[in-house]
Amino acid sequence: MTHSDTVPTPSTEGIRVTVCYALPSQTWSVNMRVAKGSTISEAIVQSKFLERFKEFELAALNVGVFGKSAPLSHPLINGDRIEIYRQLTFDPKQSRRRRALHRQKLRNIKKKVPINDVTI
C-alpha cells in the first residue's frame, strides 16, 4: 500500500523534492516544492513527516538523497528524493554468517559428513 501526498506551498517558485519513508507494509511519500537553498531538515519539517510519525525526532533521523547517506544540513537541488531510513531489524553480518553456516550444513548432508552444530 502506498500513501502519497502533495504539500501545497504559497509560491510556485523553488525546487521540487520528494520526501519518502518506507515501512514494511507501505510507503509514505510527499511531493512538494521548497525554497531554493533549503536543506534536508527544512524539507522534512515542511513535509509534516514528524507530525505523521510522532515516534521520530528530527535530530535522530538517518537520511539520504537517492540512496546515498547525507547529513540533515545537506542543501537540496531540484528533483531530489529525500529518503528517511529505518533502523535495521537484524545485523547484516550475522545474517550472512547464518546463511553461510546453513549452506555448509546442506553441503555436508549431501556429502554425508557429520554435522557440527556450532552456531555463530
Side-chain angles (χ1 to χ4, degrees):
M1 170 180 260
T2 301
H3 172 77
S4 185
D5 288 330
T6 301
V7 175
T9 56
S11 170
T12 57
E13 292 189 25
I15 57 174
R16 290 181 314 101
V17 297
T18 302
V19 178
C20 53
Y21 176 65
L23 296 163
S25 60
Q26 69 179 24
T27 303
W28 178 88
S29 68
V30 175
N31 298 313
M32 55 191 240
R33 287 193 174 274
V34 295
K36 289 182 182 178
S38 291
T39 63
I40 291 176
S41 63
E42 294 167 342
I44 291 172
V45 169
Q46 189 176 336
S47 73
K48 298 190 176 21
F49 172 80
L50 298 170
E51 293 173 21
R52 172 90 160 88
F53 300 95
K54 297 183 187 313
E55 65 269 19
F56 293 103
E57 292 183 23
L58 182 61
L61 291 177
N62 291 319
V63 297
V65 177
F66 288 115
K68 300 224 181 212
S69 184
L72 290 169
S73 60
H74 179 80
L76 298 171
I77 60 172
N78 194 38
D80 275 351
R81 182 183 70 227
I82 302 160
E83 300 162 347
I84 300 170
Y85 303 124
R86 291 182 286 131
Q87 293 292 329
L88 295 176
T89 56
F90 58 89
D91 179 12
K93 289 182 181 180
Q94 188 69 19
S95 293
R96 282 192 291 274
R97 287 185 193 114
R98 286 186 184 135
R99 286 192 305 269
L101 182 62
H102 179 70
R103 284 191 301 270
Q104 180 184 16
K105 286 181 181 181
L106 289 176
R107 282 192 303 267
N108 288 344
I109 288 172
K110 287 180 182 177
K111 294 179 181 179
K112 298 184 180 178
V113 175
I115 298 173
N116 180 4
D117 275 340
V118 176
T119 56
I120 298 174

PDB file of all heavy atoms in Angstrom, residues 12-33:
ATOM      1  N   THR A  12       4.936  29.229  -6.260  1.00  0.00           N
ATOM      2  CA  THR A  12       5.251  28.172  -7.218  1.00  0.00           C
ATOM      3  C   THR A  12       6.738  28.171  -7.543  1.00  0.00           C
ATOM      4  O   THR A  12       7.195  27.329  -8.283  1.00  0.00           O
ATOM      5  CB  THR A  12       4.440  28.348  -8.515  1.00  0.00           C
ATOM      6  OG1 THR A  12       4.714  29.646  -9.057  1.00  0.00           O
ATOM      7  CG2 THR A  12       2.969  28.161  -8.252  1.00  0.00           C
ATOM      8  N   GLU A  13       7.480  29.147  -6.992  1.00  0.00           N
ATOM      9  CA  GLU A  13       8.914  29.178  -7.213  1.00  0.00           C
ATOM     10  C   GLU A  13       9.596  28.229  -6.233  1.00  0.00           C
ATOM     11  O   GLU A  13       9.049  27.892  -5.204  1.00  0.00           O
ATOM     12  CB  GLU A  13       9.447  30.597  -7.030  1.00  0.00           C
ATOM     13  CG  GLU A  13       8.973  31.542  -8.100  1.00  0.00           C
ATOM     14  CD  GLU A  13       9.679  32.871  -8.035  1.00  0.00           C
ATOM     15  OE1 GLU A  13      10.811  32.910  -7.520  1.00  0.00           O
ATOM     16  OE2 GLU A  13       9.100  33.842  -8.498  1.00  0.00           O
ATOM     17  N   GLY A  14      10.776  27.849  -6.554  1.00  0.00           N
ATOM     18  CA  GLY A  14      11.506  26.939  -5.691  1.00  0.00           C
ATOM     19  C   GLY A  14      11.869  25.679  -6.449  1.00  0.00           C
ATOM     20  O   GLY A  14      11.843  25.635  -7.677  1.00  0.00           O
ATOM     21  N   ILE A  15      12.185  24.654  -5.709  1.00  0.00           N
ATOM     22  CA  ILE A  15      12.588  23.386  -6.314  1.00  0.00           C
ATOM     23  C   ILE A  15      11.646  22.280  -5.872  1.00  0.00           C
ATOM     24  O   ILE A  15      11.079  22.325  -4.796  1.00  0.00           O
ATOM     25  CB  ILE A  15      14.058  23.048  -5.956  1.00  0.00           C
ATOM     26  CG1 ILE A  15      14.252  23.005  -4.440  1.00  0.00           C
ATOM     27  CG2 ILE A  15      15.007  24.040  -6.586  1.00  0.00           C
ATOM     28  CD1 ILE A  15      15.619  22.546  -4.006  1.00  0.00           C
ATOM     29  N   ARG A  16      11.486  21.287  -6.736  1.00  0.00           N
ATOM     30  CA  ARG A  16      10.636  20.135  -6.425  1.00  0.00           C
ATOM     31  C   ARG A  16      11.475  19.063  -5.747  1.00  0.00           C
ATOM     32  O   ARG A  16      12.574  18.754  -6.208  1.00  0.00           O
ATOM     33  CB  ARG A  16      10.044  19.541  -7.705  1.00  0.00           C
ATOM     34  CG  ARG A  16       9.020  20.353  -8.393  1.00  0.00           C
ATOM     35  CD  ARG A  16       8.453  19.679  -9.657  1.00  0.00           C
ATOM     36  NE  ARG A  16       9.487  19.103 -10.531  1.00  0.00           N
ATOM     37  CZ  ARG A  16       9.816  17.813 -10.598  1.00  0.00           C
ATOM     38  NH1 ARG A  16       9.195  16.924  -9.868  1.00  0.00           N
ATOM     39  NH2 ARG A  16      10.752  17.397 -11.412  1.00  0.00           N
ATOM     40  N   VAL A  17      10.959  18.517  -4.668  1.00  0.00           N
ATOM     41  CA  VAL A  17      11.609  17.401  -3.975  1.00  0.00           C
ATOM     42  C   VAL A  17      10.547  16.407  -3.528  1.00  0.00           C
ATOM     43  O   VAL A  17       9.361  16.736  -3.468  1.00  0.00           O
ATOM     44  CB  VAL A  17      12.448  17.855  -2.748  1.00  0.00           C
ATOM     45  CG1 VAL A  17      13.589  18.754  -3.167  1.00  0.00           C
ATOM     46  CG2 VAL A  17      11.592  18.522  -1.711  1.00  0.00           C
ATOM     47  N   THR A  18      10.974  15.217  -3.225  1.00  0.00           N
ATOM     48  CA  THR A  18      10.103  14.183  -2.677  1.00  0.00           C
ATOM     49  C   THR A  18      10.713  13.704  -1.367  1.00  0.00           C
ATOM     50  O   THR A  18      11.913  13.440  -1.304  1.00  0.00           O
ATOM     51  CB  THR A  18       9.980  12.992  -3.650  1.00  0.00           C
ATOM     52  OG1 THR A  18       9.472  13.469  -4.894  1.00  0.00           O
ATOM     53  CG2 THR A  18       9.061  11.925  -3.102  1.00  0.00           C
ATOM     54  N   VAL A  19       9.889  13.619  -0.340  1.00  0.00           N
ATOM     55  CA  VAL A  19      10.313  13.060   0.941  1.00  0.00           C
ATOM     56  C   VAL A  19       9.621  11.721   1.061  1.00  0.00           C
ATOM     57  O   VAL A  19       8.402  11.632   0.900  1.00  0.00           O
ATOM     58  CB  VAL A  19       9.920  13.978   2.122  1.00  0.00           C
ATOM     59  CG1 VAL A  19      10.323  13.348   3.444  1.00  0.00           C
ATOM     60  CG2 VAL A  19      10.556  15.354   1.962  1.00  0.00           C
ATOM     61  N   CYS A  20      10.370  10.645   1.306  1.00  0.00           N
ATOM     62  CA  CYS A  20       9.742   9.329   1.382  1.00  0.00           C
ATOM     63  C   CYS A  20      10.296   8.525   2.559  1.00  0.00           C
ATOM     64  O   CYS A  20      11.422   8.709   3.001  1.00  0.00           O
ATOM     65  CB  CYS A  20       9.894   8.567   0.082  1.00  0.00           C
ATOM     66  SG  CYS A  20      11.548   8.427  -0.538  1.00  0.00           S
ATOM     67  N   TYR A  21       9.426   7.636   3.035  1.00  0.00           N
ATOM     68  CA  TYR A  21       9.735   6.760   4.162  1.00  0.00           C
ATOM     69  C   TYR A  21       9.053   5.431   3.890  1.00  0.00           C
ATOM     70  O   TYR A  21       7.855   5.387   3.621  1.00  0.00           O
ATOM     71  CB  TYR A  21       9.219   7.381   5.466  1.00  0.00           C
ATOM     72  CG  TYR A  21       9.405   6.519   6.686  1.00  0.00           C
ATOM     73  CD1 TYR A  21      10.662   6.192   7.148  1.00  0.00           C
ATOM     74  CD2 TYR A  21       8.306   6.040   7.380  1.00  0.00           C
ATOM     75  CE1 TYR A  21      10.826   5.410   8.272  1.00  0.00           C
ATOM     76  CE2 TYR A  21       8.465   5.256   8.512  1.00  0.00           C
ATOM     77  CZ  TYR A  21       9.732   4.948   8.951  1.00  0.00           C
ATOM     78  OH  TYR A  21       9.901   4.167  10.061  1.00  0.00           O
ATOM     79  N   ALA A  22       9.810   4.352   3.944  1.00  0.00           N
ATOM     80  CA  ALA A  22       9.253   3.030   3.648  1.00  0.00           C
ATOM     81  C   ALA A  22       9.076   2.224   4.925  1.00  0.00           C
ATOM     82  O   ALA A  22      10.016   2.042   5.690  1.00  0.00           O
ATOM     83  CB  ALA A  22      10.163   2.277   2.690  1.00  0.00           C
ATOM     84  N   LEU A  23       7.855   1.773   5.135  1.00  0.00           N
ATOM     85  CA  LEU A  23       7.533   0.851   6.216  1.00  0.00           C
ATOM     86  C   LEU A  23       7.507  -0.549   5.623  1.00  0.00           C
ATOM     87  O   LEU A  23       7.458  -0.707   4.402  1.00  0.00           O
ATOM     88  CB  LEU A  23       6.167   1.211   6.797  1.00  0.00           C
ATOM     89  CG  LEU A  23       6.093   2.591   7.465  1.00  0.00           C
ATOM     90  CD1 LEU A  23       4.653   3.015   7.626  1.00  0.00           C
ATOM     91  CD2 LEU A  23       6.792   2.530   8.796  1.00  0.00           C
ATOM     92  N   PRO A  24       7.524  -1.596   6.446  1.00  0.00           N
ATOM     93  CA  PRO A  24       7.493  -2.945   5.883  1.00  0.00           C
ATOM     94  C   PRO A  24       6.269  -3.211   5.001  1.00  0.00           C
ATOM     95  O   PRO A  24       6.347  -3.936   4.022  1.00  0.00           O
ATOM     96  CB  PRO A  24       7.473  -3.852   7.116  1.00  0.00           C
ATOM     97  CG  PRO A  24       8.093  -3.040   8.189  1.00  0.00           C
ATOM     98  CD  PRO A  24       7.711  -1.613   7.897  1.00  0.00           C
ATOM     99  N   SER A  25       5.135  -2.605   5.326  1.00  0.00           N
ATOM    100  CA  SER A  25       3.912  -2.906   4.585  1.00  0.00           C
ATOM    101  C   SER A  25       3.431  -1.778   3.689  1.00  0.00           C
ATOM    102  O   SER A  25       2.495  -1.970   2.921  1.00  0.00           O
ATOM    103  CB  SER A  25       2.795  -3.256   5.575  1.00  0.00           C
ATOM    104  OG  SER A  25       2.567  -2.153   6.434  1.00  0.00           O
ATOM    105  N   GLN A  26       4.025  -0.602   3.778  1.00  0.00           N
ATOM    106  CA  GLN A  26       3.569   0.505   2.948  1.00  0.00           C
ATOM    107  C   GLN A  26       4.674   1.530   2.767  1.00  0.00           C
ATOM    108  O   GLN A  26       5.686   1.489   3.440  1.00  0.00           O
ATOM    109  CB  GLN A  26       2.342   1.173   3.547  1.00  0.00           C
ATOM    110  CG  GLN A  26       2.619   1.946   4.828  1.00  0.00           C
ATOM    111  CD  GLN A  26       1.378   2.617   5.385  1.00  0.00           C
ATOM    112  OE1 GLN A  26       0.274   2.199   5.108  1.00  0.00           O
ATOM    113  NE2 GLN A  26       1.563   3.643   6.163  1.00  0.00           N
ATOM    114  N   THR A  27       4.438   2.453   1.847  1.00  0.00           N
ATOM    115  CA  THR A  27       5.378   3.534   1.593  1.00  0.00           C
ATOM    116  C   THR A  27       4.658   4.854   1.778  1.00  0.00           C
ATOM    117  O   THR A  27       3.532   5.023   1.322  1.00  0.00           O
ATOM    118  CB  THR A  27       5.921   3.450   0.147  1.00  0.00           C
ATOM    119  OG1 THR A  27       6.508   2.173  -0.035  1.00  0.00           O
ATOM    120  CG2 THR A  27       6.954   4.516  -0.109  1.00  0.00           C
ATOM    121  N   TRP A  28       5.307   5.793   2.449  1.00  0.00           N
ATOM    122  CA  TRP A  28       4.771   7.139   2.636  1.00  0.00           C
ATOM    123  C   TRP A  28       5.657   8.093   1.859  1.00  0.00           C
ATOM    124  O   TRP A  28       6.883   8.041   1.981  1.00  0.00           O
ATOM    125  CB  TRP A  28       4.779   7.490   4.119  1.00  0.00           C
ATOM    126  CG  TRP A  28       4.302   8.873   4.433  1.00  0.00           C
ATOM    127  CD1 TRP A  28       3.020   9.254   4.663  1.00  0.00           C
ATOM    128  CD2 TRP A  28       5.095  10.050   4.567  1.00  0.00           C
ATOM    129  NE1 TRP A  28       2.965  10.594   4.925  1.00  0.00           N
ATOM    130  CE2 TRP A  28       4.239  11.113   4.874  1.00  0.00           C
ATOM    131  CE3 TRP A  28       6.458  10.315   4.449  1.00  0.00           C
ATOM    132  CZ2 TRP A  28       4.687  12.415   5.063  1.00  0.00           C
ATOM    133  CZ3 TRP A  28       6.910  11.611   4.645  1.00  0.00           C
ATOM    134  CH2 TRP A  28       6.019  12.632   4.946  1.00  0.00           C
ATOM    135  N   SER A  29       5.066   8.937   1.024  1.00  0.00           N
ATOM    136  CA  SER A  29       5.868   9.914   0.286  1.00  0.00           C
ATOM    137  C   SER A  29       5.078  11.199   0.076  1.00  0.00           C
ATOM    138  O   SER A  29       3.847  11.177   0.016  1.00  0.00           O
ATOM    139  CB  SER A  29       6.331   9.345  -1.052  1.00  0.00           C
ATOM    140  OG  SER A  29       5.247   9.164  -1.908  1.00  0.00           O
ATOM    141  N   VAL A  30       5.819  12.284  -0.020  1.00  0.00           N
ATOM    142  CA  VAL A  30       5.226  13.603  -0.236  1.00  0.00           C
ATOM    143  C   VAL A  30       6.018  14.297  -1.329  1.00  0.00           C
ATOM    144  O   VAL A  30       7.235  14.429  -1.239  1.00  0.00           O
ATOM    145  CB  VAL A  30       5.280  14.454   1.056  1.00  0.00           C
ATOM    146  CG1 VAL A  30       4.788  15.854   0.791  1.00  0.00           C
ATOM    147  CG2 VAL A  30       4.472  13.817   2.153  1.00  0.00           C
ATOM    148  N   ASN A  31       5.318  14.724  -2.373  1.00  0.00           N
ATOM    149  CA  ASN A  31       5.919  15.550  -3.420  1.00  0.00           C
ATOM    150  C   ASN A  31       5.630  16.995  -3.070  1.00  0.00           C
ATOM    151  O   ASN A  31       4.483  17.339  -2.786  1.00  0.00           O
ATOM    152  CB  ASN A  31       5.314  15.214  -4.782  1.00  0.00           C
ATOM    153  CG  ASN A  31       5.581  13.795  -5.179  1.00  0.00           C
ATOM    154  OD1 ASN A  31       6.704  13.326  -5.079  1.00  0.00           O
ATOM    155  ND2 ASN A  31       4.549  13.101  -5.607  1.00  0.00           N
ATOM    156  N   MET A  32       6.651  17.846  -3.111  1.00  0.00           N
ATOM    157  CA  MET A  32       6.443  19.221  -2.690  1.00  0.00           C
ATOM    158  C   MET A  32       7.477  20.146  -3.286  1.00  0.00           C
ATOM    159  O   MET A  32       8.438  19.700  -3.895  1.00  0.00           O
ATOM    160  CB  MET A  32       6.491  19.304  -1.169  1.00  0.00           C
ATOM    161  CG  MET A  32       7.760  18.743  -0.573  1.00  0.00           C
ATOM    162  SD  MET A  32       7.639  18.564   1.180  1.00  0.00           S
ATOM    163  CE  MET A  32       8.946  19.611   1.692  1.00  0.00           C
ATOM    164  N   ARG A  33       7.243  21.431  -3.099  1.00  0.00           N
ATOM    165  CA  ARG A  33       8.193  22.466  -3.504  1.00  0.00           C
ATOM    166  C   ARG A  33       8.763  23.108  -2.252  1.00  0.00           C
ATOM    167  O   ARG A  33       8.035  23.367  -1.303  1.00  0.00           O
ATOM    168  CB  ARG A  33       7.515  23.529  -4.355  1.00  0.00           C
ATOM    169  CG  ARG A  33       7.180  23.064  -5.744  1.00  0.00           C
ATOM    170  CD  ARG A  33       6.817  24.266  -6.622  1.00  0.00           C
ATOM    171  NE  ARG A  33       6.628  23.850  -7.993  1.00  0.00           N
ATOM    172  CZ  ARG A  33       7.605  23.736  -8.887  1.00  0.00           C
ATOM    173  NH1 ARG A  33       8.832  24.025  -8.544  1.00  0.00           N
ATOM    174  NH2 ARG A  33       7.359  23.344 -10.110  1.00  0.00           N
TER     175      ARG A  33
END
